Amino acid sequence: MFGIVRPCSHRLGEGLKTQWMAHLCGLCLALRGDHGQFARIVTNYDGLLISVLTEAQVERADAGRRTAGPCPLRGMRTASVAQGDGARLAAAVSLVLASAKVRDHVADGDGLLARRPVALAARRVAASWGRAGARTGSEVGFDTAVLVDAVDRQIGIETLAGPGTPLLTVTEPTESATAAAFAHTAVLAGRPGNAAPLAEAGRLFGRLAHLLDAVEDRETDAASGAWNPLTATGTPLAEARRLADDALHGIRLALREVAFTDGRLAHVLLAHELTRSVDRAFGTSGCGHGEHGGPGAAGAFGPPGQGGPYNPQQPPRPYDGQNPYVGGGDPLGGGPSFRPPGPGGRGFWAGCAAAIGLCCTCKVCCADEFEGPWSRQRREGWCGNCDCSCCDCCEACECCECCSCCDCGI
């Protein structure tokens, strides 16, 4: 699931996490419902922003939800998921852009796509996705030709670009495509007055997506000889960071002009999580609202050696006599080695069978909690046990006073 906005569930909080998952699952199911199981592989974190923005503008968000059946990626649980035109628009945009991405990789001969049989199959898949995206787009009133035109212009611009070419010339096609997609959410929600500010937010989001992709791929492209906008135009990282920060500020200003019904999730994703995406791409950390390398750069728990749960100088937690595994866990719950099971635990082979079941159903990574295969103790899912290096001032955007974007009333 590619994308630059990858929020941490700890920062979102339970309510916003549920909403975010509803849109992610809604996009996946919209792809399956209209285009078959294989189309679900183009599900991506950025595409669901279209669904989020659409629902944030409608009067009754609950009208666009339905209960979906059990899914392995949800730990075999049912869930309320987004449906309707917002999810379908997100699916159309995801398909068309994935089609363009596949064609670009085929043209560059990346990896297995350098082999003719694989490249031929990939071209057919890309063409099928492009047609499917155009069909779904037309059904919700969106002309995907603007996306296809942006991709075609991108190829020509990259061919002509060289040292001295403004970097924003290279990012313009991506900006135009995302601006059109963001603006159409206002049409779907019946809020035409929101189209202009959302188009501006989308334009700047497209700029950021292009910039961050270039920054993250810079070293890899240099090693493989692939084309990279920063290298081709001779743009230093400092200038790319300045453009990224300007885009972040512009997105926040644009969001202030949008009349949302409930814009909390959209605000957290586009104002706060997008800032963290920029920090991640440029190798900085901490709160994005302050100066880079400032007080927040050390993370929420301060630098190593000054206390906190990640202090390497603290002694390891002693064995408590109840958990049958060294370090307080089993291989799927944190401990490195196996001991014979205690009361209520499983034997080695039974635990192996349970571990295989956990992995096959994705519970070990996607469920909030799962039962340890050997110890049978409750464990937190791997995806939920992440390192949130976020500062206290930005916690889940309860609209903090330190952030200048929070006076927007969201």
Side-chain angles (χ1 to χ4, degrees):
M1 295 181 184
F2 54 93
I4 63 173
V5 182
R6 302 191 293 271
C8 170
S9 61
H10 289 173
R11 288 192 297 262
L12 287 179
E14 192 60 34
L16 294 184
K17 176 190 173 184
T18 300
Q19 290 186 39
W20 185 78
M21 285 299 299
H23 290 285
L24 182 62
C25 294
L27 170 58
C28 180
L29 293 175
L31 287 165
R32 185 198 67 179
D34 287 345
H35 311 293
Q37 292 282 1
F38 185 66
R40 300 171 81 174
I41 68 172
V42 307
T43 302
N44 66 94
Y45 293 137
D46 294 344
L48 69 86
L49 288 172
I50 303 296
S51 180
V52 170
L53 287 171
T54 303
E55 185 177 274
Q57 299 172 75
V58 299
E59 292 297 332
R60 289 191 58 204
D62 56 346
R65 297 292 180 90
R66 70 177 180 88
T67 300
C71 175
L73 296 180
R74 291 193 300 267
M76 297 306 295
R77 290 173 297 179
T78 61
S80 174
V81 301
Q83 65 172 348
D85 289 347
R88 299 189 71 201
L89 175 61
V93 171
S94 297
L95 281 167
V96 173
L97 295 183
S99 171
K101 194 175 185 72
V102 170
R103 291 201 306 270
D104 182 56
H105 284 308
V106 170
D108 293 341
D110 294 336
L112 290 175
L113 295 176
R115 302 180 180 181
R116 281 190 66 184
V118 178
L120 180 61
R123 287 194 189 96
R124 290 180 177 175
V125 170
S128 174
W129 283 348
R131 292 191 299 269
R135 184 171 62 253
T136 300
S138 65
E139 291 173 0
V140 296
F142 181 67
D143 186 2
T144 58
V146 65
L147 306 182
V148 177
D149 174 69
V151 172
D152 293 340
R153 286 190 295 109
Q154 187 74 54
I155 296 173
I157 289 173
E158 291 181 358
T159 302
L160 298 175
T165 301
L167 188 58
L168 297 187
T169 300
V170 180
T171 63
E172 183 277 326
T174 306
E175 295 178 21
S176 299
T178 50
F182 274 44
H184 196 68
T185 65
V187 177
L188 295 180
R191 297 285 188 98
N194 288 340
L198 284 174
E200 177 66 5
R203 182 179 68 83
L204 295 173
F205 179 83
R207 177 182 300 179
L208 267 179
H210 203 131
L211 284 173
L212 299 190
D213 183 64
V215 170
E216 291 176 343
D217 294 346
R218 188 165 170 257
E219 294 183 1
T220 304
D221 290 343
S224 64
W227 194 91
N228 184 282
L230 298 180
T231 305
T233 60
T235 303
L237 280 178
E239 174 63 10
R241 181 64 197 244
R242 185 190 68 80
L243 292 172
D245 288 339
D246 286 348
L248 285 172
H249 184 62
I251 289 173
R252 289 177 175 173
L253 293 177
L255 289 178
R256 296 182 186 182
E257 305 299 321
V258 181
F260 286 121
T261 301
D262 181 0
R264 288 175 299 168
L265 180 59
H267 177 77
V268 169
L269 295 179
L270 289 171
H272 291 270
E273 293 300 333
L274 197 52
T275 299
R276 292 186 175 91
S277 298
V278 172
D279 287 333
R280 182 169 57 242
F282 284 91
T284 57
S285 62
C287 184
H289 309 311
E291 295 297 325
H292 308 302
F301 302 105
Q306 294 187 8
Y310 298 115
N311 184 356
Q313 296 179 0
Q314 291 181 345
R317 181 170 60 86
Y319 175 60
D320 58 13
Q322 297 179 357
N323 195 316
Y325 302 97
V326 175
D330 47 41
L332 291 182
S337 60
F338 173 80
R339 285 188 179 183
R346 292 190 181 96
F348 178 75
W349 294 112
C352 288
I356 292 172
L358 287 170
C359 293
C360 289
T361 59
C362 298
K363 282 189 176 182
V364 71
C365 60
C366 299
D368 291 335
E369 288 186 340
F370 65 93
E371 186 182 82
W374 287 276
S375 67
R376 306 194 75 166
Q377 294 185 4
R378 303 304 298 175
R379 304 293 181 192
E380 187 175 1
W382 288 350
C383 291
N385 189 24
C386 56
D387 177 14
C388 299
S389 56
C390 53
C391 61
D392 294 336
C393 69
C394 318
E395 192 67 31
C397 187
E398 292 296 343
C399 278
C400 47
E401 296 178 357
C402 75
C403 177
S404 62
C405 66
C406 287
D407 58 2
C408 58
I410 297 175

